[in-house]
Amino acid sequence: MLHRHCYRISDIADYINWAYFFHAWGMPARYSSLVEVHGCEACRKAWTETFPAAEQTQAQEAVRLFNDAQKMLSRIIAYTQVHTLFELFPANADGDDIVIHKDADTEVRLPMLRQQHPDKDGYCLCLSDFVLPAASCKSDHIGVFATSVTSPSDYKDNYESLLAQTLCTRLAEAAAERLHQEVRNTLWGYAPDEQLTISDLHAEKFQGTRPAVGYPSLPDLSLNFLLDQLLDFSQIGIKLTEHGMMQPQASVSGLMLAHPQSHYFSVGQICEDQLTDYAQRRGMPVSVLRPYLASSL
């Protein structure tokens, strides 16, 4: 059953991973510790003084940026909408493909890419490894999700516009974090007794994974066209460009896997043979897929 929800910013603000916010502004992720500091001037000044002298100017800039971000959140809270889509589908692995059973008559095949160099556990991983193979004669499941944040763009300068865009991107990711928690606890319910803090969530201490399209284990943006077939992104206002990019930019899509041993990994570099094999499994010319995977070749 399709689950569609609209969050308020107050529902998901605590789920924002500020480490990635600061990273987007070219600042160290460790500045995210600022979130735990009292908001008064004296406390934040004391926080900047915990850093080496050579770094204190940048730490002070981080404080100003964080203050501006909090003001922007307060400003956009009344008219920013955060939408999510999720559906749990029966699925099985077929080699390096994940075959999703959309309904009794429709299958959507998601070809995956496999690492060419062993991961830390000694295996060349593929996301299909974490879904039961069809040969097992048992049906498994996989979640498909999308989140999107829409906000007006009437900002007075480029700084405000960039600040709002960065925040909206983090809110889309925060919505995915909150949605994933609900999926584990109730919607899929494979971890109903989970008791994790926000820090635990950001440290990925939960069971399962939610690889997003465009991320290291799912580098091919054209997979968005297949996920759109499954969810109909337009239900939450997402449109795809001819290159598979999502509009609004503050949008995230991907898969949710429950396998206890599933974890995040990078496909890394692939060779021409794998590109050819992948193109055959996608039913697309190599020349069409090559631009999507240029960074992986």
Side-chain angles (χ1 to χ4, degrees), residues 114-172:
R114 183 173 294 278
Q115 291 176 318
Q116 298 300 287
H117 301 283
D119 198 56
K120 57 187 177 182
D121 55 9
Y123 294 96
C124 290
L125 298 175
C126 178
L127 287 176
S128 64
D129 295 340
F130 304 116
V131 181
L132 280 175
S136 69
C137 298
K138 295 180 181 180
S139 179
D140 203 347
H141 288 83
I142 194 168
V144 181
F145 77 94
T147 72
S148 184
V149 178
T150 55
S151 180
S153 55
D154 55 337
Y155 305 110
K156 66 181 182 181
D157 54 34
N158 289 338
Y159 172 70
E160 278 199 353
S161 178
L162 184 57
L163 181 61
Q165 181 59 49
T166 309
L167 277 174
C168 286
T169 298
R170 297 323 318 158
L171 286 169

Side-chain angles (χ1 to χ4, degrees), residues 17 24 28 31 37 42 50 54 69 125 133 135 167 170 179 203 211 216 222 239 265 272-273 280 285-286 293:
N17 191 327
Y31 286 175
V37 176
T50 64
L125 298 175
L167 277 174
R170 297 323 318 158
L179 173 63
S222 74
K239 297 180 180 179
F265 64 90
E272 287 292 325
D273 287 349
Q280 290 174 346
V286 170
L293 294 169

Side-chain angles (χ1 to χ4, degrees), residues 69-99:
Q70 297 303 307
K71 293 176 184 176
M72 181 61 73
L73 275 177
S74 298
R75 173 179 166 184
I76 67 177
I77 195 168
Y79 50 79
T80 296
Q81 295 183 314
V82 184
H83 300 280
T84 66
L85 284 174
F86 170 80
E87 189 159 0
L88 186 64
F89 294 98
N92 284 107
D94 180 12
D96 287 353
D97 296 352
I98 297 174
V99 181

Side-chain angles (χ1 to χ4, degrees), residues 88 176 182 201:
L88 186 64
E182 293 182 11
L201 297 180

